[in-house]
Amino acid sequence: METLLFNLIWVIPLLTVLACIPIPATCERALRTVHTASVSFVLLVVCVLTYRVFALGADPADPASAPFALRFFTDIPWLSAFNAHYIVGADGLNMLLLALTAFIVWAGVLVSYKIKGNQKVFFALIQLLATSVYGVYMSFDLVLFFVFYEMEALCMYLMIACYGSGRRDYGGKKLTLTLAFGSSMILATLFGLYFESGTGSWSLMEISKVTLPMDFQMWAFPLMFMGFAVSSSLFPFHFWSPDGHSAAPTAVSMLAAGVMMKMGAYGCLRFAMFLMPEAAKIWLPYVVALLIFNVVLGPFIAIRHKDLKYITAYSSISHLGLIFLGLAALTPVGLRGASLQMISHGFLTGLFFATIGMIYERTHTRDITEMGGIMKKMPFLGVGFVIAGFAGLGLPGFSGFIAESTIFIGAFQQDSTLTRIVTVLAILSITTTAVYILQTANRMLHGPMPAKFQTLTDGCFREKLVIVVLVFCLLLIGIFPGPFADMLDLSIAPIFEKLKVTSY
């Protein structure tokens, strides 16, 4: 029964789209009700299954999923011409990423009740995007994984181009073309893995049993790693993120920053580093050098911007850089911190973009110089934004503090001067982060209020519920990190076993 429910996670969104076809586009209330019920049910299923994975802990898993201890494992022949199988399953890392996705999709639907345009199409695209992301975090066959991975780019473009604001066509095309460039690099290495491994299989588990030639690893690893890193805005492929976020509607920004950008880091860890560990040891020091832009210069760029979404986008680039710092540390603690940061940053950016969208819906501006004193009219939304800012600062009690501290400790355990220097710079950059967060909050929420904002209203029950739930998730991980760390450690163990490195 649990395995069936697990497989339904990515199917239910598709069934919801089909169920809504007969409903006229003018029946917006009925459409919202159906989609809300759908995402709420998926969220419930994912939460129950996540608890089951935690409860099972180190209990024996399906032997066919070795070296991973995958739960709800399913292996069914799919495309016989390519010898591709429908292989899905989940360990602790996968289930936590699925839970993150379910929460952000649920929140994205709730904050989109007043989206302008054809709501029938908009909610259908959200469900298709959810299908894509769920499939990515469930797949362990390379063909199946890539099919799901490619779905999200088209959905993102349509949602930005049709429902976005500002330079929406430009932002959508920039995002889609950049992600397509990364996907082409990934596809090239997937074919290389299939032929070079000699297994005749696309299964991640089967390919991992083969030691790939070093000359293949040396060109395939950077190609695959950077292909995935495009999605996570690693320098120099960060440029799509600010324009894409600024043009996107609120729900799309939440999904892009909260979920989609984690797909890249997940791919780097689960595929590139796991399948090509020897090349990872050689190439990752160069990645550390690239992180100087992400973790140090990113916050300085954020200080200069006045648009709320640009500020949050560059903040995300900085925080995502910490994930790569944890991966590049090549220590168990660093990998655990990187995985925790994926979850933590997903909830954080979801909360940030949700509150920004709610404020924009009322003020019709994202320019902080045009705001002021709105805390008087929107105290709940203002407090939500401030909490998001404090969580972004890594305030103790929130998930960011645990995740970032773990990354810093893991990075310092690596006996590399460059890694330690970048780690120190990353720690010092927290001061810069405080500058733009406090500066933004002060200009928006305090001071004299423009006359045009006198009629502003605070968040409704639905919007307040989204903020409360996302804040609760940030606090839950920050106050009780132990269960989450235990789940991630079991997932990281087989990856670190292949890396087993103490120095560069």
Side-chain angles (χ1 to χ4, degrees):
M1 182 61 179
E2 290 178 346
T3 302
L4 175 61
L5 284 174
F6 178 78
N7 282 273
L8 285 176
I9 289 174
W10 71 269
V11 176
I12 291 173
L14 291 180
L15 295 178
T16 305
V17 174
L18 295 176
C20 288
I21 290 176
I23 302 176
T26 53
C27 298
E28 294 181 347
R29 185 172 182 178
L31 289 166
R32 291 195 296 263
T33 301
V34 171
H35 285 287
T36 302
S38 170
V39 296
S40 299
F41 178 71
V42 172
L43 176 60
L44 177 63
V45 169
V46 171
C47 288
V48 171
L49 294 180
T50 302
Y51 175 76
R52 285 292 296 149
V53 170
F54 168 71
L56 290 169
D59 289 353
D62 192 320
S65 68
F68 300 112
L70 299 183
R71 309 296 175 181
F72 325 120
F73 186 72
T74 306
D75 185 350
I76 302 172
W78 176 37
L79 296 175
S80 57
F82 296 97
N83 196 28
H85 284 220
Y86 172 80
I87 304 176
V88 297
D91 55 15
L93 174 60
N94 293 86
M95 281 313 308
L96 288 176
L97 288 169
L98 287 170
L100 166 66
T101 304
F103 272 106
I104 299 300
V105 171
W106 171 82
V109 168
L110 288 187
V111 301
S112 301
Y113 271 32
K114 296 182 180 180
I115 191 75
K116 295 179 180 179
N118 190 321
Q119 291 194 3
K120 181 176 181 177
V121 175
F122 180 81
F123 285 119
L125 288 172
I126 284 185
Q127 296 284 17
L128 291 174
L129 182 58
T131 296
S132 168
V133 181
Y134 288 138
V136 164
Y137 293 139
M138 295 168 64
S139 302
F140 283 82
D141 179 273
L142 300 186
V143 174
L144 184 67
F145 171 86
F146 190 76
V147 169
F148 281 121
Y149 191 86
E150 280 298 279
M151 280 178 62
E152 46 88 19
L154 177 60
C155 294
M156 291 287 291
Y157 172 72
L158 292 174
M159 295 174 78
I160 294 174
C162 299
Y163 299 91
S165 59
R167 303 170 67 190
R168 57 189 186 182
D169 187 59
Y170 171 77
K173 287 179 178 177
K174 191 173 186 178
L175 178 150
T176 305
L177 292 174
T178 308
L179 295 183
F181 174 68
S183 296
S184 66
M185 293 193 285
I186 296 170
L187 182 61
T189 55
L190 293 184
F191 279 115
L193 287 168
Y194 176 77
F195 290 109
E196 197 68 36
S197 67
T199 60
S201 171
W202 296 93
S203 167
L204 177 64
M205 284 73 74
E206 291 299 319
I207 295 175
S208 69
K209 297 174 183 177
V210 177
T211 301
L212 297 168
M214 196 60 193
D215 58 344
F216 169 78
Q217 289 193 38
M218 284 302 293
W219 71 261
F221 176 82
L223 199 62
M224 174 176 272
F225 191 94
M226 295 308 292
F228 280 122
V230 169
S231 294
S232 295
S233 295
L234 179 67
F235 178 83
F237 301 112
H238 65 286
F239 50 82
W240 65 266
S241 177
D243 291 314
H245 285 313
S246 67
T250 301
V252 178
S253 293
M254 293 172 65
L255 287 163
V259 177
M260 190 200 76
M261 295 175 80
K262 310 306 176 296
M263 288 163 48
Y266 169 80
C268 290
L269 176 64
R270 181 71 85 189
F271 294 91
M273 294 174 63
F274 178 64
L275 295 177
M276 295 172 279
E278 295 302 320
K281 302 172 191 178
I282 296 172
W283 282 107
L284 284 176
Y286 298 98
V287 174
V288 173
L290 296 177
L291 294 177
I292 294 175
F293 173 86
N294 284 77
V295 301
V296 179
L297 297 182
F300 280 101
I301 297 175
I303 290 176
R304 296 180 53 121
H305 277 283
K306 310 301 179 186
D307 186 299
L308 280 172
K309 280 199 171 182
Y310 272 97
I311 293 170
T312 307
Y314 278 105
S315 173
S316 293
I317 291 172
S318 175
H319 285 96
L320 286 164
L322 296 179
I323 295 176
F324 287 98
L325 180 61
L327 296 180
L330 291 173
T331 62
V333 177
L335 296 181
R336 179 204 299 166
S339 302
L340 269 174
Q341 180 72 347
M342 291 183 205
I343 313 300
S344 169
H345 186 258
F347 286 116
L348 171 62
T349 51
L351 178 60
F352 250 133
F353 280 113
T355 54
I356 289 171
M358 295 171 195
I359 292 171
Y360 175 73
E361 186 179 298
R362 290 161 171 78
T363 62
H364 304 292
T365 181
R366 293 195 302 262
D367 190 333
I368 60 176
T369 61
E370 296 179 6
M371 301 183 190
I374 63 175
M375 180 70 88
K376 301 171 187 176
K377 295 293 182 178
M378 296 186 290
F380 198 95
L381 299 185
V383 169
F385 184 85
V386 170
I387 291 175
F390 286 155
L393 281 171
L395 192 72
F398 290 100
S399 58
F401 174 77
I402 296 296
E404 292 175 15
S405 298
T406 307
I407 289 172
F408 296 148
I409 293 170
F412 260 102
Q413 290 178 347
Q414 176 56 255
D415 187 20
S416 164
T417 302
L418 176 61
T419 302
R420 292 183 175 181
I421 289 174
V422 174
T423 304
V424 171
L425 292 174
I427 296 171
L428 294 176
S429 71
I430 294 175
T431 306
T432 314
T433 304
V435 171
Y436 68 75
I437 287 178
L438 296 176
Q439 171 182 276
T440 301
N442 184 57
R443 290 185 178 182
M444 285 174 51
L445 306 177
H446 304 291
M449 179 190 297
K452 62 181 179 179
F453 292 157
Q454 293 297 329
T455 58
L456 292 178
T457 57
D458 205 1
C460 64
F461 172 79
R462 172 175 44 82
E463 293 169 325
K464 291 178 179 178
L465 179 63
V466 168
I467 292 175
V468 169
V469 170
L470 293 179
V471 170
F472 172 78
C473 292
L474 290 169
L475 289 171
L476 180 65
I477 301 173
I479 298 173
F480 303 104
F484 301 95
D486 292 341
M487 291 177 66
L488 293 173
D489 284 346
L490 291 174
S491 305
I492 292 165
I495 300 175
F496 184 72
E497 279 298 312
K498 295 203 73 174
L499 289 167
K500 278 194 175 176
V501 61
T502 56
S503 65
Y504 290 126

